[in-house]
Amino acid sequence: MTQPDDLPIVRSARRVLQTEANAILEMVDALPDDFADVVELILKTEGRVIISGVGKSGHIGRKISATLASTGTPSYFVHASEASHGDLGMITSHDIVVLISNSGETQELRDILLHTRRFNIPLIGISSKINSTLLQSADYKLNLPNLPEACAIGMAPTTSTTLTLAMGDALAVAVMEQRGFGSEDFLKNHPGGKLGAQLSRVADLMHKGEKVPTVEADTPMSDVLLSMTSKGFGITGVLKGGVLIGVISDGDLRRHMGNLMEKTAGAIATLDPVTITPELFAAQALALLNEKKISALMVVDEAKRPVGIVHIHDLLRAGVA
């Protein structure tokens, strides 16, 4: 339902969204000069990307760290107060440190900042104040546009945190693409939940070996029916010389019901059937099943020899949908 523009609540929401959207667009045209150098630094580091910030900047820092870690860049968040009480030992000379502070003067970051200077650890600063202590001390400066916050009193971190988050996403994706980090790599870091299920391969979910229903093309229909009912997939593959030439489904049986038992498998099979290969993603198999309005797919190798069968119920149970 379209929200009426004359409602104060709606006007407020749209003003905030427009303010933050405009800020991101401004940053698109004013990407920090050090951005590419920071990406190169992350790519060649032997350690991890350590991120710290306080308050809302800390919350954003945790998200940036999590995004980096899930896309192939080892990273973790260090709480600034805990760093001053022993956690500085978690930061090594092989690491990179990213400090986030909109003002660039956050006192709680002082000890981490000094630690990086003392041990010559590369320091990346993210702030909207180019003349701040943070950016003046940093080796690499990711200077954000210094724009008003989106809240009515201009004080609650809104625009600034949105810009920081967007900057973090831009870094993570740029590094990810430069690494050639692909869907298989992503799956290694996301084995659970819906993402893991969608990135599973057909080979992970298909039935194999004796469970795959197949008959030769000259098989009498009495034996074909036995194969179909005993395996429980509602279809059977039809082979000739070990190669899949067709499938028989419940629909094929109904179309030949008049003289069904007088025929052979090859006579009633649907030739050149829809198939899938084991290396494709389970999500691709589900999309194909839905597109063709069928419930099962024969899985074949490059020579069209059947190596498995996948049923829509297998995919749904695995959480692919």
Side-chain angles (χ1 to χ4, degrees):
M1 180 184 298
T2 302
Q3 298 283 354
D5 291 328
D6 58 346
L7 287 179
I9 293 173
V10 173
R11 289 200 303 270
S12 175
R14 288 183 172 156
R15 185 192 71 250
V16 170
L17 294 174
Q18 190 64 62
T19 299
E20 296 189 355
N22 290 342
I24 290 178
L25 290 175
E26 184 165 331
M27 189 165 64
V28 170
D29 295 326
L31 198 65
D33 293 339
D34 288 349
F35 182 87
D37 290 337
V38 170
V39 171
E40 293 293 338
L41 176 69
I42 294 173
L43 287 169
K44 69 182 182 183
T45 187
E46 297 177 357
R48 300 146 300 180
V49 177
I50 312 301
I51 298 181
S52 188
V54 175
K56 306 301 186 296
S57 293
H59 295 310
I60 297 299
R62 289 182 187 276
K63 192 276 178 185
I64 294 173
S65 179
T67 301
L68 285 168
S70 72
T71 53
T73 299
S75 176
Y76 64 84
F77 181 85
V78 172
H79 193 283
S81 297
E82 296 297 333
S84 298
H85 296 277
D87 282 1
L88 282 175
M90 301 169 68
I91 305 172
T92 75
S93 59
H94 298 292
D95 296 331
I96 299 168
V97 171
V98 179
L99 297 184
I100 304 171
S101 169
N102 187 47
S103 69
E105 303 294 343
T106 304
Q107 286 297 313
E108 291 89 341
L109 297 179
R110 176 179 176 275
D111 288 341
I112 300 181
L113 190 156
L114 292 176
H115 185 76
T116 66
R117 303 303 78 191
R118 179 182 179 187
F119 293 101
N120 200 30
I121 298 169
L123 174 62
I124 301 163
I126 300 180
S127 173
S128 66
K129 306 295 191 296
I130 190 63
N131 294 319
S132 63
T133 301
L134 173 57
L135 290 195
Q136 289 302 304
S137 303
D139 301 301
Y140 301 87
K141 312 175 198 309
L142 295 180
N143 185 213
L144 307 176
N146 188 12
L147 299 171
E149 301 290 4
C151 74
I153 61 175
M155 297 180 68
T158 46
T159 303
S160 58
T161 49
T162 296
L163 287 171
T164 306
L165 182 60
M167 177 60 68
D169 287 343
L171 278 175
V173 173
V175 171
M176 174 184 175
E177 291 178 354
Q178 289 298 307
R179 285 193 198 282
F181 188 93
S183 52
E184 283 198 10
D185 303 299
F186 196 75
L187 176 57
K188 293 174 186 175
N189 295 332
H190 298 78
K194 187 171 182 178
L195 271 177
Q198 289 179 327
L199 291 171
S200 297
R201 302 288 179 176
V202 170
D204 299 325
L205 301 175
M206 71 183 187
H207 301 269
K208 299 175 282 189
E210 294 296 322
K211 296 181 179 180
V212 182
T214 59
V215 297
E216 294 295 326
D218 58 359
T219 302
M221 284 308 301
S222 57
D223 293 334
V224 172
L225 293 174
L226 181 61
S227 172
M228 292 180 67
T229 55
S230 64
K231 300 299 172 73
F233 293 104
I235 69 168
T236 189
V238 179
L239 310 181
K240 188 171 184 178
V243 175
L244 185 75
I245 63 168
V247 296
I248 298 174
S249 66
D250 293 336
D252 295 312
L253 298 180
R254 288 192 294 271
R255 282 189 289 273
H256 295 85
M257 191 61 71
N259 54 352
L260 179 66
M261 302 308 291
E262 301 172 9
K263 296 186 176 182
T264 61
I268 74 164
T270 296
L271 302 180
D272 193 24
V274 178
T275 60
I276 199 165
T277 53
E279 70 274 8
L280 291 182
F281 289 117
Q284 292 175 289
L286 182 61
L288 187 57
L289 287 165
N290 287 329
E291 177 190 346
K292 300 299 182 182
K293 294 181 172 57
I294 54 179
S295 60
L297 283 167
M298 297 297 293
V299 185
V300 298
D301 61 17
E302 293 180 356
K304 291 293 184 181
R305 294 185 297 263
V307 295
I309 184 170
V310 62
H311 196 279
I312 192 168
H313 291 164
D314 301 318
L315 303 177
L316 296 178
R317 275 194 297 268
V320 175

